Structures are given as structure tokens and as C-alpha cells.
């Protein structure tokens, strides 16, 4: 998400009746907000019984690179 | 036969599993909330005989395994063009559907479920309580409605404080100017506290843990698929969603210590979940801190980045739980 800033879309009068998190909302570029699927193309798939279907392709090849620290035997860390 | 309960709109976690069910050529049917209301099939639910009959065929004994991915949430999109009555009518129709679906859950209670229907909504506060009882370290958390107590909590935690919603209902608010406002985990500092009114709506405040990295664990019936989210450089946002697409992020498979796996297993058993996405923090001091479980969290990114093939794992779990 591309952050523009922090703020609220609600007036002080409304904020007085809301949890404090609504005072510090994060403003992001809508196009970068993944859950909106902006710009994504959808198809349909009768076999998947899906009205909106996307064929997902893996984006990262097998690298074979392992950071040893993060796969170390957990018992060694104690 | 396997029954998949999900959305008829796009739901990224559902379709890859269905691809594997198609690959293995196992019979399944996917049902969405809209299937119940959009006249796509004729059905009746017979309370006397405790049966569901679709297009003249009884499915009571046909359905054996149920994957409950996401279902009732689609009810949020129901709307009616009735002006000022829309809110009341929407509430009534959603309640009708909830009661209908609750009864269907009762009818199918003896089936094998991947995420029992009534377990899909988790109370974050209750969960922290249960996790603590299971031996997991959880962040010091308080619900506070006034500035005085908040300041005391802030000082108690040496200024290391965050706030986030109590419930997992955070949405997004789109603007015409091309921006969207979202409610995320946010840092609370002295200046922010000073600017608050004396009293406010009860809000969740929590210890800000000194994090080395975050771990997302996909749990499937006793098996763990952990992914560590490593960041190049010391800078990090307090909410990992803001870093998830950063070029500085590296997702790697991770091995949890056996005692953490045992504690998490105990937790999942305690709350009646056989699958879920668990969020943990590993602290700079080497401790593991439990944050939350999402029973139907998105798993695809971690699956792809770590080559876990979780979609295949889920499909094979469903197939393996079908009667021989």
C-alpha cells in the first residue's frame, strides 16, 4: 500500500462517539489497496462455480536460498 | 461429496483449492449465500425429516465433508432500493438468512467440517485470554475509555503502546480523489494521548512488542506451515500490511520451536478450530508473542512465497476425510 498520510474522514463530533483508532486512519492510494483488486481482470469459471475468477500464477521462482538462522534447530535457541 | 461454502464473487483462497479438487476428479459442490436466495436451484428444507432437498434430490447423506471458507459475509452486500427503509429491511433479511443458515449448520453438524460454522467468528479478547492459559505469551492489553487511565498504561509500558480495533471488522473508506482510508494498528504516543478528549469510546490498547520479525502460521489439523516476514533494514511499520508488498520484505519458511507448536495446538483445540492463520511476533529477546488467529485468513501469498502449496494441502485434507 502506498501511504499518503494519516488522518480521519470523520468530523470531531462523530469521532467523539468512535474508538480512537478512527482518529489515526491511514490514507493510501486506492490503486495500491490490494483488497479492492483495482485494475485486476476477472474471468468466469463454470468448473470452479465462480462468477469472478482469476488464474493465479506463482510470482517467485524456486530460489533454493535458505537463511540458515531461520531454519536452525529451535532447540539450539534455548 | 465435498461441500464448499464460499462466495460466488472472487475469494482468493477458494478457487486454487477447487482447481485441485478438479484435478483429483473428486465430486464437490460449491454453494454461496447467493445460491440460497437467487433462485438458481429449487430446494426445500424439511424440518420433519431433517433433510435438504435440492432439485428433487436429498443431499443429507450425499454431503460428507464441508469446507467452510467464507459464507455469511456475502450478506453484507445485500441491499434493497427502498429509500429510508433500506437499513431496517436489510437487517431483517440478513437476520432471516442467519437463522436459516444456523439451522442448516445444525442439520449438517454430524459431517466433517474444516472450520466449524459457528467457529468462524473469533473474539480477539477472549482469544488472548485462552492463549495465555495455553502458556503463550500475549501482549499486555487493556480496553480503556478515558485519557487518565490511558496515560497511566502508556507510562507503565514505557511509552511502547499501540491501538487497534477490538473486532476484526476493519473496512476501507474509498474517496473520489483516488485515496482510501483504512483502519490499521497504530502507534499511540504522548502527543496523541494529549490530543484526546477526557473520555472516548472504549478502545483496545496494547503493549508494543519489540519485534525482530513477524511470523504467519497456517495451521491445518495439527500441522504447521510458518512463514517469517523478514525486513531488510531496521525500519518497519507497526502494521505489517503496510510492509507486505515492500521490496525490503523477504518471506521465508520458518521452523517453530516444539513447545510453541504444542501451545498453539492446545489453543486451537481449546477454541475448536482445525485450521486458521496464526500471527506471532518474535521479539528481539527471542520470545514468541501470540497476536491472533484468523479462522479463514488468506494464505495464498505465504503459500506461493514459501512453496507450501497450501491449496493442494487443503484439497488433500478434504479428500482424505471423505468416507472410503
Amino acid at each position: 500500500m502506498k501511504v499518503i498520510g494519516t488522518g480521519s474522514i470523520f468530523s470531531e463530533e462523530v469521532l467523539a462517539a468512535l474508538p480512537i483508532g478512527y482518529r489515526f486512519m491511514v490514507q493510501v492510494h486506492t490503486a495500491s489497496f490490494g483488497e479492492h483488486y483495482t485494475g485486476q481482470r476477472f474471468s468466469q469459471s463454470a468448473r470452479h462455480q465462480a462468477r469472478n475468477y482469476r488464474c493465479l500464477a506463482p510470482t517467485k521462482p524456486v530460489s533454493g536460498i535458505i537463511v540458515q538462522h531461520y531454519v536452525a534447530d529451535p532447540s539450539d535457541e534455548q | 461429496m465435498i461441500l464448499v461454502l464460499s462466495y460466488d464473487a472472487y475469494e482468493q483462497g477458494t478457487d486454487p483449492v477447487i482447481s485441485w479438487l478438479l484435478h483429483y476428479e473428486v465430486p464437490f459442490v460449491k454453494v454461496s449465500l447467493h445460491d440460497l436466495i437467487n433462485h438458481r436451484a429449487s430446494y426445500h428444507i424439511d424440518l420433519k425429516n431433517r433433510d435438504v432437498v435440492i432439485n428433487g434430490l436429498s443431499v443429507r447423506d450425499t454431503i460428507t465433508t464441508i469446507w467452510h471458507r467464507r459464507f455469511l459475509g456475502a450478506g453484507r452486500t445485500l441491499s434493497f432500493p427502498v429509500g429510508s427503509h433500506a437499513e431496517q429491511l436489510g437487517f431483517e433479511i440478513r437476520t432471516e438468512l442467519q437463522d436459516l443458515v444456523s439451522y442448516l449448520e445444525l442439520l449438517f453438524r454430524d459431517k466433517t467440517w474444516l472450520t466449524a460454522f459457528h467457529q468462524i467468528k473469533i473474539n480477539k479478547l477472549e482469544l488472548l485470554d485462552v492463549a495465555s492459559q495455553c502458556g503463550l505469551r500475549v501482549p499486555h492489553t487493556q480496553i480503556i475509555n478515558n485519557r487518565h487511565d490511558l496515560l497511566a498504561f502508556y507510562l507503565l509500558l514505557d511509552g511502547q503502546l499501540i491501538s487497534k480495533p477490538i473486532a476484526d471488522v476493519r473496512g476501507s473508506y474509498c474517496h473520489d480523489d483516488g485515496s482510501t482510508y483504512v483502519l490499521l494498528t497504530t502507534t499511540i504516543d504522548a502527543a496523541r494521548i494529549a490530543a484526546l478528549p477526557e473520555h472516548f469510546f472504549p478502545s483496545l490498547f496494547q503493549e508494543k512488542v519489540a519485534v525482530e520479525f513477524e511470523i504467519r502460521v497456517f495451521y491445518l489439523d495439527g500441522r504447521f506451515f510458518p512463514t517469517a516476514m523478514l525486513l531488510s533494514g531496521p525500519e518497519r511499520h507497526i502494521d505489517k500490511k503496510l510492509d507486505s508488498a515492500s521490496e525490503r520484505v523477504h518471506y521465508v519458511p520458518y521452523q517453530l520451536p516444539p513447545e510453541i507448536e504444542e501451545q498453539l495446538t492446545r489453543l486451537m483445540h481449546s477454541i475448536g478450530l482445525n485450521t486458521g492463520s496464526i500471527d506471532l511476533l518474535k521479539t528481539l529477546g527471542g520470545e514468541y508473542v501470540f497476536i491472533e488467529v484468523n479462522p479463514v485468513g488468506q494464505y495464498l501469498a505465504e503459500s506461493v512465497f514459501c512453496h507450501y502449496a497450501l491449496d493442494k494441502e487443503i484439497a488433500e485434507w478434504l479428500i482424505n476425510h471423505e468416507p472410503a
Side-chain angles (χ1 to χ4, degrees):
Chain A
M1 286 190 274
K2 291 185 179 173
V3 177
I4 299 170
T6 307
S8 184
I9 52 173
F10 301 114
S11 67
E12 189 60 37
E13 183 183 6
V14 174
L15 286 171
L18 300 178
I20 67 111
Y22 287 92
R23 295 170 183 271
F24 313 117
M25 300 172 82
V26 179
Q27 185 186 16
V28 300
H29 289 286
T30 298
S32 71
F33 188 67
E35 291 172 31
H36 284 163
Y37 300 109
T38 308
Q40 303 288 340
R41 297 181 67 188
F42 291 90
S43 182
Q44 294 182 336
S45 170
R47 296 190 75 198
H48 290 80
Q49 301 172 37
R51 181 161 51 86
N52 295 320
Y53 179 77
R54 280 178 68 208
C55 189
L56 186 85
T59 55
K60 182 181 175 185
V62 175
S63 66
I65 297 172
I66 296 174
V67 180
Q68 197 57 42
H69 172 69
Y70 296 112
V71 292
D73 184 347
S75 60
D76 292 341
E77 297 182 9
Q78 295 164 23
Chain B
M1 183 163 64
I2 296 167
L3 170 64
V4 178
L5 298 176
S6 188
Y7 296 164
D8 65 347
Y10 181 62
E11 201 295 294
Q12 61 169 289
T14 303
D15 293 339
V17 174
I18 289 182
S19 291
W20 282 107
L21 296 179
L22 290 166
H23 169 78
Y24 286 122
E25 298 182 332
V26 295
F28 74 94
V29 62
K30 176 181 162 189
V31 173
S32 73
L33 192 66
H34 287 82
D35 289 322
L36 293 183
I37 56 180
N38 280 355
H39 319 141
R40 290 176 189 160
S42 298
Y43 64 88
H44 67 266
I45 301 164
D46 186 340
L47 274 69
K48 183 180 178 185
N49 295 312
R50 297 173 63 83
D51 197 4
V52 180
V53 179
I54 303 175
N55 290 335
L57 297 172
S58 164
V59 299
R60 185 181 61 182
D61 298 324
T62 312
I63 303 295
T64 48
T65 307
I66 302 174
W67 181 33
H68 178 205
R69 176 64 191 162
R70 295 178 179 206
F71 191 69
L72 268 178
R76 288 196 300 264
T77 62
L78 294 175
S79 63
F80 304 90
V82 290
S84 61
H85 300 303
E87 187 176 344
Q88 176 64 23
L89 185 58
F91 165 75
E92 290 175 8
I93 297 305
R94 280 191 291 274
T95 306
E96 289 277 297
L97 279 170
Q98 283 169 9
D99 283 10
L100 167 61
V101 170
S102 291
Y103 182 68
L104 288 173
E105 184 210 1
L106 185 70
L107 281 185
F108 289 103
R109 190 159 281 179
D110 61 334
K111 310 300 182 187
T112 301
W113 285 77
L114 190 61
T115 309
F117 205 86
H118 58 284
Q119 295 301 103
I120 205 159
K121 193 171 183 325
I122 294 283
N123 183 315
K124 203 182 288 180
L125 307 178
E126 184 183 342
L127 185 63
L128 288 172
D129 192 35
V130 177
S132 181
Q133 291 173 30
C134 292
L136 290 157
R137 193 197 147 189
V138 300
H140 193 171
T141 304
Q142 290 191 3
I143 309 297
I144 299 173
N145 83 332
N146 68 89
R147 196 175 58 209
H148 178 268
D149 289 349
L150 176 57
L151 186 59
F153 193 42
Y154 174 78
L155 295 174
L156 177 70
L157 297 175
D158 294 326
Q160 299 302 304
L161 188 65
I162 61 163
S163 180
K164 57 184 175 181
I166 295 173
D168 194 18
V169 292
R170 57 188 159 209
S172 53
Y173 299 81
C174 270
H175 269 218
D176 293 338
D177 64 0
S179 73
T180 291
Y181 283 78
V182 288
L183 196 61
L184 300 172
T185 300
T186 190
T187 299
I188 302 298
D189 57 22
R192 285 186 167 182
I193 294 174
L196 290 174
E198 191 175 339
H199 285 87
F200 43 82
F201 192 92
S203 306
L204 188 154
F205 298 93
Q206 198 169 66
E207 165 194 4
K208 182 180 178 181
V209 175
V211 176
E212 184 184 2
F213 54 84
E214 301 198 19
I215 306 167
R216 165 60 74 98
V217 185
F218 183 75
Y219 174 90
L220 181 62
D221 199 15
R223 299 172 66 202
F224 293 85
F225 301 89
T227 300
M229 180 181 172
L230 312 179
L231 274 164
S232 302
E235 292 178 19
R236 67 168 59 240
H237 287 95
I238 192 63
D239 194 309
K240 72 176 179 185
K241 287 188 179 65
L242 295 174
D243 288 322
S244 60
S246 165
E247 60 193 15
R248 297 190 301 114
V249 174
H250 311 278
Y251 295 93
V252 295
Y254 190 80
Q255 177 65 58
L256 291 170
E259 66 269 24
I260 298 296
E261 289 190 349
E262 286 171 20
Q263 290 164 343
L264 290 173
T265 300
R266 209 176 310 145
L267 170 67
M268 296 300 273
H269 288 170
S270 297
I271 58 179
L273 282 177
N274 53 3
T275 188
S277 294
I278 302 167
D279 286 336
L280 300 174
L281 304 176
K282 186 169 185 201
T283 71
L284 293 171
E287 286 185 295
Y288 293 85
V289 179
F290 171 84
I291 300 299
E292 63 182 342
V293 177
N294 185 339
V296 287
Q298 298 297 2
Y299 62 85
L300 213 50
E302 292 83 3
S303 175
V304 170
F305 290 138
C306 294
H307 308 290
Y308 280 143
L310 296 176
D311 43 353
K312 184 168 179 274
E313 295 285 350
I314 294 168
E316 290 178 351
W317 189 96
L318 294 168
I319 293 166
N320 291 337
H321 282 76
E322 283 283 276

